């Protein structure tokens, strides 16, 4: 009989990827070849991103430990192989044992409290099994007593998030939960001519926390913006109001989605899309083996979720650019790349605040007042009240380990107001001002949106890191959506005279192409604006591509833009046209 060597199973190739502050763990898509033991390791032969952390730096984020549940499947029966094994990091111990290829060891390590095993022993690949599945979790730097892991139940793999049957849960204070790490499922196959056994097992860890920050910039011709203040309550679609606003920025949600740092709750983890047919050996679903989370607040009176998130005061203000009356750094930044953040963007946390993603989504609103100062040196100051924008819920479906940046742009079209008419009625609108909301910078990619602060609000989106790098867009497809107050407009349902249109805008001096002037022209102004509008093609879609490879359910107008050109998206409600300018680098 031909002898076959029995290979030890080694759990290896952990790679940690961070955002700009190096606090997150990311994935490695390459599997080691030639290894037979089940090892855990930080050393990978090919990195997918430059900001991945390996070795000691990666281990530090996991606090040198994670827990793994591993099972094998022969096609009819699942058998537990790793019963909540602890895997520990010790530097310079690689290859000292068969079960340790890259400083991560599980043999002889003290067993986890959830394990029923008498001790942790070496494991070998069983070639009679058709697949192995590995589920991993790390307490990170959380307090073990305040972030309690339940037993990992591998029989729940494949259950939908809506089923209420998670693979495992973690319960504790929300600030402690945010310090923990979850991993996507790792599956290795030995079937249908595919043999992945002997490869290093590579869990992809992600911080359970999400980071959010907000920033502002302005593009108003002839003016600079200063003295930005923030309202204490969300707008309820009633009469605009005046308020002695606060210096600290506040983001409002339509419903309670923000846990407080001191509240308690339970984070449930699901793996709804698993199996051979969903893998790269089958149809390859973008959601294959991805970990999904859902948060439930505790039942105590202090555990309730809230509708607001308060950030810091605006920090990195800009100096005057022309002849403004005030010296010093008192003005908003003037491009998306030099936006002014709520909090110090140069601090260790880069103005991010940590929140827990709930596995839900909701509209987000900003509400501000500010002063307009002319750049020609005149003493005039215009005080704008109650300017606001709504970011569609689809762009606020937060996910673990993502860092979301919402940038609001003030332009020459707004729903803010500066006074009342002769009858004492608030006159909403100032022919300067809109806001742009830019969303998300993740360890894997970027999702950025620009939302006008106007009524209705128009949101434009382009896949990839665009707004903060290009100010505003680059050549490619752009998607435009419309919010009528807090209600999303289903563009596919619009009929003439209501509807949408897309134009390329040209002018001798491109600087004159502003939202206000174009809207005047489209609404039948009698004067010559000097702007030429040429119709462009578009399609109405119900989904837009998301940064994680999936899609977002958003009713949107899709159109292509070319380099060094300016475009206009127009929405009409039958009586008036509303526009959004799209500039392309």
């Amino acid at each position: 009989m031909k002898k076959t060597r029995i290979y030890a199973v080694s759990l290896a190739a952990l790679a940690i990827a961070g955002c700009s502050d190096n606090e997150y763990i990311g994935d490695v898509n390459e599997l080691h070849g030639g290894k037979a033991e089940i090892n855990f390791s930080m050393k990978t032969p090919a990195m997918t991103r430059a900001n991945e952390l390996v070795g000691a730096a990666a281990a530090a984020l996991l606090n040198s430990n994670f827990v793994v549940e591993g099972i094998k499947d022969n096609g009819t029966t699942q058998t537990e192989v790793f019963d909540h094994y602890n895997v520990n990091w010790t530097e310079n111990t690689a290859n000292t044992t068969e079960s340790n290829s890259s400083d991560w060891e599980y043999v002889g390590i003290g067993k986890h409290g959830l394990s029923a095993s008498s001790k942790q022993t070496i494991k070998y690949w069983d070639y009679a099994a058709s697949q192995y599945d590995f589920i991993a979790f790390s307490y990170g730097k959380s307090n073990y007593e305040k972030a309690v892991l339940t037993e990992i139940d591998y029989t729940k793999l494949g259950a939908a998030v809506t089923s209420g049957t998670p693979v495992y849960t973690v319960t504790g204070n929300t600030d402690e939960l945010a310090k923990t790490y979850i991993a996507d499922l790792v599956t290795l196959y030995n079937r249908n001519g595919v043999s992945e056994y002997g490869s290093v097992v590579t869990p992809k860890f992600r911080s359970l926390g999400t980071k959010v920050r907000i920033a502002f910039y302005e593009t108003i011709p002839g003016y600079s913006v200063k003295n930005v203040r923030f309202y204490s309550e969300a707008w309820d679609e009633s009469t605009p109001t005046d308020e002695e606003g606060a210096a600290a920025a506040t983001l409002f949600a339509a419903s309670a989605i923000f846990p407080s740092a001191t509240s308690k709750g339970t984070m449930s983890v699901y793996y709804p899309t698993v199996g051979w047919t969903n893998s790269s050996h089958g149809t390859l679903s973008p959601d294959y083996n991805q970990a999904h989370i859902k948060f439930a607040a505790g039942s105590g009176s202090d555990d309730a979720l809230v509708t607001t998130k308060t950030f810091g005061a605006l920090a990195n203000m800009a100096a005057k650019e022309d002849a403004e009356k005030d010296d010093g750094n008192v003005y908003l930044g003037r491009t998306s790349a030099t936006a002014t953040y709520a909090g110090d963007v140069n601090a260790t946390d880069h103005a991010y605040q940590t929140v827990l993603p709930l596995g839900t989504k909701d509209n987000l609103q900003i509400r501000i007042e500010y002063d307009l100062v002319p750049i020609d040196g005149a003493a005039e100051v215009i005080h704008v009240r109650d300017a606001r924008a709504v970011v569609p819920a689809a762009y606020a479906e937060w996910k673990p380990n993502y860092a979301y940046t919402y940038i609001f742009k003030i332009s020459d079209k707004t729903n803010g107001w500066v006074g009342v008419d002769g009858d004492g009625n608030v006159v909403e609108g100032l022919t300067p001002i809109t806001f742009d909301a830019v969303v998300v910078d993740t360890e894997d990619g970027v999702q950025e949106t620009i939302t006008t602060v106007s009524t209705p609000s128009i949101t434009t989106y382009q896949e990839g890191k665009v707004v903060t790098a290009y100010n505003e867009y680059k050549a490619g497809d752009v998607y435009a959506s419309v919010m009528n107050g807090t209600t999303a407009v289903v563009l596919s349902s619009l009929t003439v005279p209501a509807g949408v249109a897309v134009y390329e805008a040209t002018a001798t001096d491109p600087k004159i192409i502003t939202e206000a002037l174009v809207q005047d022209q489209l609404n039948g102004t009698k004067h010559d604006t000097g702007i030429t509008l040429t119709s462009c093609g578009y399609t109405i879609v119900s989904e837009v591509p998301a940064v994680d490879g999936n899609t977002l359910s958003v009713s949107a107008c899709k159109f292509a833009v070319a380099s060094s050109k300016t475009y206009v998206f127009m929405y009409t409600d039958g009586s008036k046209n509303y526009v959004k300018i799209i500039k392309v680098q």
Side-chain angles (χ1 to χ4, degrees):
M1 177 182 295
K2 182 179 179 180
K3 294 184 178 179
T4 302
R5 180 185 173 190
I6 298 178
Y7 290 111
V9 182
S10 67
L11 294 165
L14 269 174
I16 295 186
C19 294
S20 56
D21 52 354
N22 289 333
E23 290 185 5
Y24 289 149
I25 294 180
D27 62 17
V28 175
N29 296 327
E30 298 290 335
L31 289 173
H32 286 298
K35 286 289 185 182
E37 302 82 6
I38 298 183
N39 296 325
F40 292 91
S41 168
M42 293 295 179
K43 295 181 179 178
T44 56
M47 290 300 180
T48 59
R49 289 180 306 279
N51 62 345
E52 284 177 329
L53 304 180
V54 298
L61 296 185
L62 295 179
N63 205 21
S64 299
N65 173 265
F66 63 90
V67 181
V68 66
E69 176 75 11
I71 59 173
K72 65 182 181 181
D73 190 333
N74 65 6
T76 58
T77 305
Q78 290 179 309
T79 304
E80 190 173 42
V81 178
F82 289 88
D83 180 5
H84 297 82
Y85 268 34
N86 276 319
V87 186
N88 288 355
W89 160 267
T90 305
E91 194 166 12
N92 298 324
T93 60
N95 300 313
T96 56
T97 67
E98 280 192 293
S99 52
N100 178 355
S101 66
S102 304
D103 296 330
W104 285 94
E105 179 65 88
Y106 61 88
V107 175
I109 303 302
K111 72 187 190 75
H112 190 274
L114 292 175
S115 178
S117 302
S118 59
K119 61 180 180 179
Q120 295 190 177
T121 60
I122 193 168
K123 298 294 181 178
Y124 298 92
W125 294 102
D126 180 1
Y127 282 82
S130 58
Q131 73 181 63
Y132 277 78
D133 291 293
F134 300 90
I135 307 161
F137 167 83
S138 176
Y139 293 101
K141 294 182 180 179
S142 66
N143 185 319
Y144 179 87
E145 298 299 325
K146 294 183 179 179
V148 181
L149 173 71
T150 60
E151 185 172 356
I152 298 172
D153 186 352
Y154 59 83
T155 66
K156 300 301 189 295
L157 289 173
V161 176
T162 55
S163 68
T165 55
V167 175
Y168 65 90
T169 66
V170 193
T171 300
N173 292 348
T174 55
D175 57 344
E176 296 295 330
L177 293 178
K179 299 174 186 176
T180 62
Y181 290 86
I182 62 174
D184 291 338
L185 182 68
V186 176
T187 304
L188 299 177
Y189 294 100
N190 185 46
R191 56 177 290 191
N192 294 26
V194 173
S195 182
E196 296 172 335
Y197 293 178
S199 299
V200 174
V201 181
T202 311
K204 182 184 79 170
F205 280 93
R206 289 177 281 137
S207 168
L208 198 52
T210 290
K211 292 188 174 185
V212 176
R213 64 181 177 179
I214 58 177
F216 300 82
Y217 74 103
E218 61 91 5
T219 61
I220 301 177
Y223 287 87
S224 291
V225 173
K226 69 171 187 177
N227 296 334
V228 178
R229 310 290 285 185
F230 299 89
Y231 281 62
S232 59
E233 294 181 345
W235 185 56
D236 60 3
E237 303 193 39
S238 59
T239 302
T241 61
D242 196 2
E243 180 174 322
E244 291 294 328
T250 299
L251 196 62
F252 302 100
S255 59
I257 64 171
F258 297 107
S260 68
T262 57
S263 65
K264 296 185 178 73
T266 297
M267 192 69 75
S268 299
V269 182
Y270 300 78
Y271 299 90
T273 311
V274 300
W276 175 269
T277 57
N278 290 310
S279 73
S280 59
H281 309 296
T283 58
L284 185 56
S285 166
D287 194 47
Y288 173 66
N289 278 6
Q290 296 290 302
H292 290 242
I293 58 91
K294 188 174 183 179
F295 179 80
S299 58
S301 58
D302 296 330
D303 299 332
L305 303 176
V306 295
T307 60
T308 60
K309 184 67 177 178
T310 301
F311 298 80
L314 299 183
N316 56 313
M317 307 295 287
K320 67 178 183 179
E321 63 177 2
D322 285 292
E324 292 93 333
K325 286 295 185 181
D326 294 314
D327 291 325
N329 295 327
V330 297
Y331 298 102
L332 280 187
R334 296 171 178 97
T335 70
S336 61
T338 60
T340 297
Y341 286 81
D344 186 1
V345 73
N346 297 313
T348 303
D349 61 6
H350 302 292
Y352 285 112
Q353 292 202 24
T354 300
V355 298
L356 281 178
L358 305 187
T360 59
K361 56 187 176 182
D362 218 326
N363 298 333
L364 298 176
Q365 182 192 120
I366 196 75
R367 195 179 182 194
I368 68 171
E369 58 181 323
Y370 53 89
D371 289 336
L372 292 177
V373 179
I375 65 175
D376 61 2
E380 171 200 18
V381 175
I382 301 176
H383 184 60
V384 181
R385 305 163 176 84
D386 210 347
R388 56 200 177 270
V390 177
V391 180
Y395 296 110
E397 187 176 5
W398 298 330
K399 298 181 180 181
N401 201 46
Y402 276 48
Y404 293 79
T405 302
Y406 294 89
I407 299 181
F408 295 92
K409 167 188 156 188
I410 304 175
S411 74
D412 68 337
K413 188 65 182 174
T414 189
N415 49 18
W417 61 284
V418 297
V420 298
D421 62 17
D423 296 323
N425 299 313
V426 169
V427 179
E428 189 171 318
L430 144 82
T431 313
I433 298 179
T434 56
F435 286 71
D436 285 34
V438 179
V439 184
V440 96
D441 193 352
T442 76
E443 89 282 6
D444 280 319
V446 176
Q447 175 185 298
E448 300 177 337
T449 62
I450 299 181
T451 303
T452 59
V453 181
S454 58
T455 303
S457 292
I458 299 173
T459 293
T460 47
Y461 164 74
Q462 188 175 67
E463 187 179 9
K465 186 168 186 177
V466 179
V467 177
T468 54
Y470 289 88
N471 186 45
E472 297 172 343
Y473 288 106
K474 64 179 180 179
D477 290 334
V478 171
Y479 300 82
S481 305
V482 180
M483 293 288 293
N484 189 1
T486 57
T487 301
V489 177
V490 181
L491 300 182
S492 60
S493 68
L494 300 178
T495 57
V496 176
V500 299
V502 179
Y503 302 95
E504 180 186 340
T506 56
T508 303
D509 179 5
K511 292 181 181 178
I512 71 171
I513 305 174
T514 67
E515 267 100 354
L517 202 55
V518 171
Q519 184 164 322
D520 272 353
Q521 180 172 333
L522 289 170
N523 286 334
T525 180
K526 298 298 184 181
H527 65 276
D528 182 7
T529 64
I531 301 171
T532 300
L533 301 176
T534 305
S535 293
C536 299
Y538 65 87
T539 56
I540 303 300
V541 297
S542 59
E543 293 181 333
V544 302
V547 66
D548 61 355
N550 290 298
T551 57
L552 301 173
S553 296
V554 185
S555 179
C557 173
K558 175 184 177 181
F559 53 96
V561 298
S563 299
S564 303
K565 293 187 176 182
T566 300
Y567 295 83
V568 175
F569 169 78
M570 182 190 73
Y571 162 71
T572 176
D573 64 2
S575 60
K576 189 174 181 180
N577 300 311
Y578 302 92
V579 302
K580 175 67 169 47
I581 300 297
I582 297 97
K583 296 181 180 179
V584 188
Q585 279 198 207

